[in-house]
């Protein structure tokens, strides 16, 4: 009986299989875009089944379907999905149109991805294509001004890491750096170590709800960076790109030549060098030779006609060379991206050099249908070697002197004063290497038998080390100095991520996605330094420190640890009503024993109005979404701030007993605070996303408001305590602002495309509370005047005197101690005396009033034109930053004698009797009360402009390559500003003591070719 049943079942199965085989059929075809270019990686799935394939590199596909009634679904990110019935066809060619709405675009949100349409928070994605032709050596330079609410600082030295600030400043002493997430894991290295050509996308999380997924480290925003991978079913593609850039300062300042310098020396001594009563006509009896300000070296140069340009001798146009090579592709189950890069920069000032070598290998392999493993690895090796002279040492150098004597040896004090020859610093044998290797390994498991459930584990090991060495025969007061230093940081992270993503119900109306994360992170640092002074022989440079007369050694180390548990839920109904909620528990070793951990919740809601019936069929409205969110984020303290620390300084050494050995004593240098808490920021965000006329007009607008409490602050202690301060929690700061972006696509066609966009951001911060003290009993909380902090005002308030012009010859109201050519200060309290207590007021703030960016992209056939305008505008009362040309740490302009013999920048509008309406006071004289002029830092800058040409397809086919692009670009070519100093964006002004280096403008020629 069993045998008969088996035979019957076998017969039924055989007949069924034959019937199914007879009904199934093979369908072939090619998938292209609207320009009839092949589209690789397109998903082709038989609707209602798991049967699917992917188009190959040439857009071809072949799929076995169940029958003529089958429907094929063609889909790819960035294109509108299409459904086509098979019917009797055996060949189906499909042309996919671009999904201009980009609502299905996937963005990184922390521990996963999300459709842009489903977002409830404020997350912005960078347009990296806009800046791919700029000579940017760091990915951060491609974000400057292009994202609303994100401020990226300018850089002036080669290889420098720009500052990042997201939605203003919300802390006093806490960290202001955003958290960086690289390929899904927290990254604590330099972003400038990453090759910009390896970067696929950059997403920035701005609102408290989106940031809360990273809890304690999220208060200053999240920058999520993703690197490139090989595309599915892609043949190997080899890409080579290169560019060469020439760079000069945006502001071409110079120092005075011989004749100008001698005129300036006369101006300083105007009371003796010009005739009374108006002091305009030169006194013929006044000569420099009889002036005590000029020491013998200056007089010698005066007599022999010397006119040496110190400034030009130590500066020259800079340059950047960049070479990048990559290969990307995939087999059936393995994708790969391999790259190598070489970047070399020669800066504007002597020895400001930077070389970087990078290599990257990204691999993904599908071991089983349910298991994928991968590795993202990179190495970056940077060389900053070389000592540049401080720019502040150049302007005072007189053109009457030269750096070398008649024997060719360097002159130590060319002016005959204490000022040292700036060339001496450049003679140092200097080594400065910074290296970074990182490996991120992951395993992703689609749990069998449970559709939608995925477990992923990320393991990251980042190792950064630096090698420093320096020796200089002119160091340590000409006795010779040298040092050698090794430092390293090892950063290990493990994240276990469980995700369940599923749609339920009738027509899959309910979408549910849950994410659970458990992870830890440890950071280990160590450093060893040996140095010495007093060398009779430095032939072995810093490699024979034992020869020093006075040797010194020191070492340092620390360990930090973090742990976190996170849960997040995303729900939507019909993709119209959206809910997102998360809760994170964070722990950090740097906080006090009583407050090691904290909880950070968030919730977000969204309503897609364009999916409602009253708008669904609108031909005008394509996307309209209202969203709101609330979240709580934390900020970290420094690692030892809650502990009592011991040090063993030299002054703590003692001798125990007669003839005893010297013993190292220990000194308590800080007080413990066992109740030090996390700095916490709670805030809301309300936003509107929109798209009209087939999304030819699109954009968003956001309003946010947050309050930061328990601010980390070094509380000043009485001297009797023996300690200067203790890290504590105080006060409250409020941050609010508005951000908007508007994008236009007026023309889209096969030959001509035009895209235009504007972004705008305005941020205000206010100090609500500080110490809570009212020591003067006036009924309101006291300000911290010494720290420049005022209740109800901005963190960056500028508290100073109001300058009402300059005193002139003949003025009868010049106070004692003041003189013609000095600033006239406003007597605010009307008591007839200028005092710090009664006559200072808040005259502005350092933060900008608002900022905006304008981008434009035009393409016609093979030609392309892109430009980007960046602007930061003012601050309250248009006063922003000190710009004092006579502020010099060496005192070169503090007395008439020093001001006469010291050179200076040209073009400074300083007071003389012949120039009474000058902007700046006369050099060489000081006010009894320290004053400084303030200027508006507003600017409008043509930050990037490029012109490119892509060879036509028929030409490419003949020469056997996929793509070839030539481009010419400019950076920072035009800056419109009233700022007198080097650059308004950096705030580097005429103050020589802190002049830094100028921002560079550049012209670039480049090539990008793919095989």
């Amino acid at each position: 009986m069993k045998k008969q049943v088996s035979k019957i079942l076998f017969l039924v199965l055989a007949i069924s299989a034959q019937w199914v085989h007879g009904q199934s059929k093979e369908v072939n075809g090619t998938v292209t875009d609207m320009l009839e270019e092949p589209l690789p990686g397109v998903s082709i799935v038989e609707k209602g089944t798991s049967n699917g394939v992917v188009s190959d590199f040439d857009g071809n596909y072949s799929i076995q379907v169940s029958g003529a009634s089958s429907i094929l679904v063609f889909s790819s990110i960035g294109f509108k999905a299409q459904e086509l019935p098979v019917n009797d066809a055996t060949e189906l060619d499909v042309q996919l149109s671009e999904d201009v709405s980009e609502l299905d675009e996937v963005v990184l949100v922390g521990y996963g991805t999300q459709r842009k349409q489903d977002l409830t928070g404020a997350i912005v994605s960078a347009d990296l294509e806009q800046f791919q032709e700029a000579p940017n050596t760091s990915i951060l330079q491609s974000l400057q001004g292009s994202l609303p609410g994100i401020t990226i600082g300018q850089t002036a030295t080669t290889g420098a890491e720009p500052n990042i600030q997201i939605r203003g400043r919300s802390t006093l002493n806490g960290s202001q750096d955003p958290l960086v997430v690289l390929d899904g894991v927290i990254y604590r290295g330099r972003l400038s170590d990453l090759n910009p050509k390896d970067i696929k996308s950059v997403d920035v999380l701005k609102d408290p709800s989106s940031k809360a997924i990273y809890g304690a480290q999220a208060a200053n925003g999240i920058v999520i960076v993703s690197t490139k991978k090989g595309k599915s079913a892609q043949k190997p593609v080899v890409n080579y790109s290169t560019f060469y850039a020439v760079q000069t300062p945006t502001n071409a300042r110079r120092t005075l030549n011989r004749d100008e310098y001698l005129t300036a020396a006369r101006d300083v001594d105007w009371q003796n060098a010009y005739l009374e009563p108006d002091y305009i006509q030169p006194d013929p009896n006044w000569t420099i030779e009889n002036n005590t300000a000029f020491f013998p070296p200056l007089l010698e140069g005066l007599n022999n006609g010397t006119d040496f340009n110190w400034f030009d001798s130590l500066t020259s146009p800079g340059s950047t060379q960049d070479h990048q090579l990559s290969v990307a592709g995939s087999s059936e189950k393995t994708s790969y991206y391999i790259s190598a890069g070489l970047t070399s920069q020669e800066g504007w000032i002597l020895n400001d050099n930077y070389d970087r070598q990078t290599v990257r290998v990204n691999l993904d392999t599908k071991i089983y249908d349910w298991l994928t493993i991968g590795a993202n690895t990179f190495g970056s090796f940077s060389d900053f070697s070389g000592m540049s002279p401080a720019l502040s040492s150049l302007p005072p150098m007189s053109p009457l002197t030269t750096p070398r004597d008649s024997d060719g040896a360097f002159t130590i004090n060319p002016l005959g004063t204490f000022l040292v020859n700036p060339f001496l610093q450049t003679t140092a044998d200097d080594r400065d290497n910074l290296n970074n290797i990182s490996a991120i390994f992951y395993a992703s498991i689609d749990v069998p038998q449970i559709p939608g459930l995925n477990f992923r584990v990320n393991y990251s090991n980042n190792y950064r080390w630096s090698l420093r060495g320096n020796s200089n025969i002119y160091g340590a007061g000409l006795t010779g100095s040298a040092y050698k230093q090794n430092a390293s940081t090892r950063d290990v992270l493990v994240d276990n991520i469980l995700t369940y993503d599923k749609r339920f119900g009738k027509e899959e109306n309910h979408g549910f996605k849950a994410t659970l994360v458990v992870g830890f992170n440890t950071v280990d640092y160590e450093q060893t330094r040996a140095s010495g002074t007093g060398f009779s022989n430095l032939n072995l440079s810093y490699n024979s420190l034992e020869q020093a007369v006075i040797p010194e050694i020191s070492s340092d180390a620390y360990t930090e640890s973090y742990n976190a548990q996170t849960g997040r839920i995303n729900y939507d109904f019909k993709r119209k009503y959206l809910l997102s909620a998360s809760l994170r528990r964070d722990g950090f070793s740097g906080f006090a024993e009583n407050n090691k951990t904290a909880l950070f919740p968030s919730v977000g809601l969204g309503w897609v109005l364009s999916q409602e019936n009253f708008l669904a069929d609108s031909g005008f409205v394509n996307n309209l979404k209202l969203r709101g969110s609330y979240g709580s984020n934390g900020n970290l303290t420094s690692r030892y701030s809650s502990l009592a620390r011991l040090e063993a300084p030299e002054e703590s050494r003692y001798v125990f007993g007669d003839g005893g050995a010297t013993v190292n004593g220990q000194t308590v240098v800080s007080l413990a605070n066992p109740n030090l808490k996390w700095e916490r920021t709670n805030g809301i965000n309300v936003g509107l996303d929109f798209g009209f006329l087939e999304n030819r007009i699109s954009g968003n607008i956001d309003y946010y408001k947050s309050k930061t409490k328990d601010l980390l602050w070094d509380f000043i202690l009485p001297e009797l305590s023996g300690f200067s301060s203790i890290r504590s929690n105080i006060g409250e700061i409020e941050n609010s602002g508005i951000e908007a972006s508007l994008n236009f696509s007026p023309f889209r066609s096969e030959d001509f495309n035009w895209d235009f966009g504007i972004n705008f951001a305005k941020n205000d911060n206010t100090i609500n509370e500080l110490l809570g003290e009212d020591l003067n009993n006036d009924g309101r909380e006291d300000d911290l005047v010494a720290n420049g902090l005022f209740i109800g005002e901005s963190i960056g308030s500028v508290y100073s005197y109001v300058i009402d012009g300059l005193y002139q010859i003949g003025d009868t109201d010049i106070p004692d101690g003041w003189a013609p050519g000095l600033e006239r200060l406003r007597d605010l309290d009307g008591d007839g005396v200028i005092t710090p207590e009664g006559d200072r007021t808040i005259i502005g703030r350092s933060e900008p009033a608002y900022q905006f960016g304008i981008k434009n992209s035009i393409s016609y056939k093979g030609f392309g034109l892109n430009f980007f305008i960046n602007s930061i505008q003012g601050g309250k009362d248009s006063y922003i930053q000190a710009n004092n040309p006579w502020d010099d740490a060496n005192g070169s302009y503090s007395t008439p004698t020093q001001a006469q013999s010291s050179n200076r920048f040209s073009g400074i509008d300083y007071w003389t009797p012949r120039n009474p309406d000058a902007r700046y006071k006369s050099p060489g004289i000081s006010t009894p009360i320290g004053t400084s002029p303030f200027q508006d830092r507003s600017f409008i800058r043509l930050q990037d402009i490029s012109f490119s040409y892509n060879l036509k397809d028929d030409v490419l086919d003949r020469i056997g390559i996929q793509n070839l692009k030539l481009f010419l670009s400019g950076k920072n070519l035009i800056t419109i500003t009233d700022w007198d100093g080097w650059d308004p964006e950096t705030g580097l002004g005429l103050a020589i003591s802190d002049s830094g280096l100028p921002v560079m403008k550049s012209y670039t020629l480049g090539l990008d070719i793919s095989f």
Side-chain angles (χ1 to χ4, degrees), residues 207-265:
D207 72 296
S209 172
S210 301
K211 296 187 296 183
I213 194 69
Y214 286 104
Q217 304 174 67
N220 301 308
I222 316 293
V223 178
I224 301 182
V225 180
S226 177
T227 59
K228 294 177 180 178
K229 298 181 179 182
K231 295 181 179 179
S232 178
Q234 181 185 34
K235 293 180 180 178
V237 176
V238 179
N239 176 264
Y240 171 72
S241 64
T242 183
F243 68 78
Y244 179 79
V246 178
Q247 296 153 331
T248 56
T250 55
N251 189 340
R253 287 209 164 271
R254 65 175 180 85
T255 49
L256 302 179
N257 60 33
R258 176 188 171 94
D259 292 339
E260 294 167 330
Y261 168 77
L262 295 176
T263 299

Side-chain angles (χ1 to χ4, degrees), residues 804-815 818-824 911 916:
D804 284 337
L806 302 173
Y807 286 112
Q808 304 296 332
I809 296 172
D811 285 349
T812 58
D813 59 344
I814 301 178
W818 299 70
L822 291 180
E823 291 100 339
R824 178 189 292 271
W911 183 92

Side-chain angles (χ1 to χ4, degrees), residues 52-312:
V53 296
V54 176
S55 63
D56 64 16
F57 181 76
D58 297 316
N60 299 320
Y61 74 93
S62 178
I63 185 172
Q64 194 80 22
V65 297
S66 57
S69 61
S70 299
I71 296 175
L72 292 181
V73 180
F74 299 81
S75 62
S76 180
I77 293 177
F79 294 86
K80 292 181 180 179
Q82 279 197 42
E83 296 185 5
L84 293 178
V86 173
N87 297 327
D88 297 327
T90 58
E91 188 170 321
L92 279 177
D93 292 334
V94 180
Q95 192 175 56
L96 296 183
S97 60
E98 183 181 353
D99 185 0
V100 295
S101 69
E102 296 183 347
L103 297 181
D104 288 325
E105 180 184 343
V106 174
V107 296
L108 301 174
V109 294
Y111 304 113
T113 61
Q114 211 171 347
R115 289 198 326 150
K116 183 179 286 189
Q117 175 73 343
D118 299 335
L119 296 176
T120 59
I123 300 177
V124 61
S125 299
D127 181 8
L128 300 182
E129 289 290 321
Q130 176 78 20
F131 304 99
Q132 63 178 340
E133 292 147 13
N136 297 330
T137 58
S138 168
I139 190 63
L140 293 176
Q141 293 171 303
S142 298
L143 308 182
Q144 286 175 335
S146 63
L147 302 176
I150 293 92
T151 302
I152 310 292
Q154 279 281 4
T155 58
T157 57
T158 59
E161 180 90 335
N163 294 323
I164 317 173
Q165 192 173 82
I166 300 175
R167 288 188 166 179
R169 181 178 171 185
S170 59
T171 183
L172 297 178
N173 279 357
S175 170
Q176 298 185 51
D177 298 326
L179 182 69
V180 177
V181 177
L182 174 64
D183 288 331
V185 302
I186 293 174
Y187 172 71
R188 304 187 192 281
R190 286 168 23 105
L191 278 172
S192 296
D193 286 346
L194 303 180
N195 186 345
K197 274 293 199 177
D198 292 341
I199 305 301
K200 176 186 176 183
S201 65
V202 177
D203 298 300
V204 181
L205 281 57
K206 300 187 293 183
D207 72 296
S209 172
S210 301
K211 296 187 296 183
I213 194 69
Y214 286 104
Q217 304 174 67
N220 301 308
I222 316 293
V223 178
I224 301 182
V225 180
S226 177
T227 59
K228 294 177 180 178
K229 298 181 179 182
K231 295 181 179 179
S232 178
Q234 181 185 34
K235 293 180 180 178
V237 176
V238 179
N239 176 264
Y240 171 72
S241 64
T242 183
F243 68 78
Y244 179 79
V246 178
Q247 296 153 331
T248 56
T250 55
N251 189 340
R253 287 209 164 271
R254 65 175 180 85
T255 49
L256 302 179
N257 60 33
R258 176 188 171 94
D259 292 339
E260 294 167 330
Y261 168 77
L262 295 176
T263 299
R266 177 183 284 268
D267 287 340
V268 173
D269 194 23
W270 60 270
Q271 290 172 305
N272 298 313
Y274 293 89
L275 297 174
E276 295 184 82
D278 53 10
Y279 297 97
I280 292 178
Q281 297 298 321
D283 186 341
N285 297 320
W286 184 93
T287 62
I288 286 198
E289 288 86 346
N290 296 330
N291 196 300
T292 58
F294 280 65
F295 293 103
L298 297 178
L299 294 175
E300 181 181 349
L302 179 67
N303 295 326
N304 62 25
T306 301
D307 188 4
F308 184 77
N309 193 322
W310 288 81
F311 208 72
D312 278 358

Side-chain angles (χ1 to χ4, degrees), residues 670-684:
S670 68
L671 286 177
N673 183 353
N675 297 311
L676 187 68
K677 296 186 292 185
W678 304 72
E679 189 173 274
R680 183 181 292 271
T681 301
N682 301 321
I684 62 167

Side-chain angles (χ1 to χ4, degrees), residues 363-607:
L363 296 172
D364 294 275
T365 300
K366 198 173 187 67
I367 304 298
Y368 302 106
D369 290 341
W370 52 271
L371 173 63
T372 301
I373 62 173
N376 292 353
T377 66
F378 81 88
S380 178
F381 311 96
S382 301
D383 188 350
F384 297 84
S385 299
M387 291 297 295
S388 299
L391 186 61
S392 59
S393 67
L394 299 184
M397 287 296 146
S398 170
L400 303 182
T401 62
T402 60
R404 296 179 184 270
D405 59 23
S406 57
D407 296 326
F410 281 121
T411 305
I412 305 303
N413 303 105
L415 307 185
T417 66
F418 57 87
L419 291 181
V420 176
N421 188 337
F423 276 89
L424 302 185
Q425 193 169 2
T426 68
T427 64
D429 179 18
D430 183 73
R431 178 187 185 183
D432 187 355
N433 298 123
L434 183 63
N435 307 301
N436 188 348
I437 56 175
S438 176
I440 300 171
F441 301 99
Y442 80 89
S444 178
I445 301 172
D446 293 322
V447 179
Q449 309 305 320
I450 308 180
L453 184 62
N454 175 270
F455 174 71
R456 179 183 174 111
V457 58
N458 290 332
Y459 170 77
S460 169
N461 197 327
N462 184 252
Y463 184 68
R464 305 180 293 277
W465 75 99
S466 63
L467 304 172
R468 292 297 317 273
N470 182 282
S471 71
N472 194 330
I473 59 174
Y474 299 106
L478 306 182
T479 66
S481 64
Y483 76 86
K484 195 171 187 178
Q485 175 180 304
N486 296 328
S488 65
T489 303
R490 185 169 181 261
D491 190 343
V492 177
L493 178 145
V494 176
D495 281 329
N496 299 281
I497 307 168
L498 187 66
T499 304
Y500 182 66
D501 189 359
K502 188 73 175 176
R503 299 201 70 83
F504 300 94
K506 184 180 179 181
E507 298 181 354
E508 296 186 340
N509 285 333
H510 301 274
F512 178 81
K513 184 175 183 179
T515 303
L516 296 175
V517 182
V518 177
F520 71 87
N521 183 199
T522 60
V523 180
D524 296 295
Y525 169 84
E526 64 177 30
Q527 174 233 306
T528 303
R529 179 186 174 99
S531 62
T533 58
F535 287 87
S536 60
N537 188 327
L538 268 176
N539 289 337
L540 295 178
S541 188
Y542 45 78
N543 294 312
S544 186
L545 297 176
E546 68 274 11
Q547 296 188 48
V549 174
I550 305 176
E552 293 184 8
I553 58 171
S554 63
S555 62
D556 190 14
Y558 67 76
T559 296
E560 290 180 346
S561 60
Y562 308 76
N563 64 59
Q565 302 84 43
T566 301
R568 178 176 61 201
I569 294 174
N570 296 103
Y571 170 78
D572 73 82
F573 178 65
K574 293 186 176 182
R575 297 200 183 274
K576 288 193 296 185
Y577 311 110
L578 313 173
L579 168 67
S580 177
S582 70
L583 179 65
R584 179 173 175 120
R585 179 181 181 271
D586 252 317
F588 175 51
S589 60
F591 276 97
E593 191 64 33
N594 299 337
N595 293 290
K596 290 289 187 187
T597 62
L599 295 174
F600 300 95
S602 78
V603 63
L605 298 172
W607 178 19

Side-chain angles (χ1 to χ4, degrees), residues 309-329:
N309 193 322
W310 288 81
F311 208 72
D312 278 358
S313 66
L314 287 165
T315 61
S316 62
S319 66
T320 300
Q321 295 184 58
D322 188 83
H323 303 274
Q324 306 293 335
L325 180 66
S326 68
V327 56

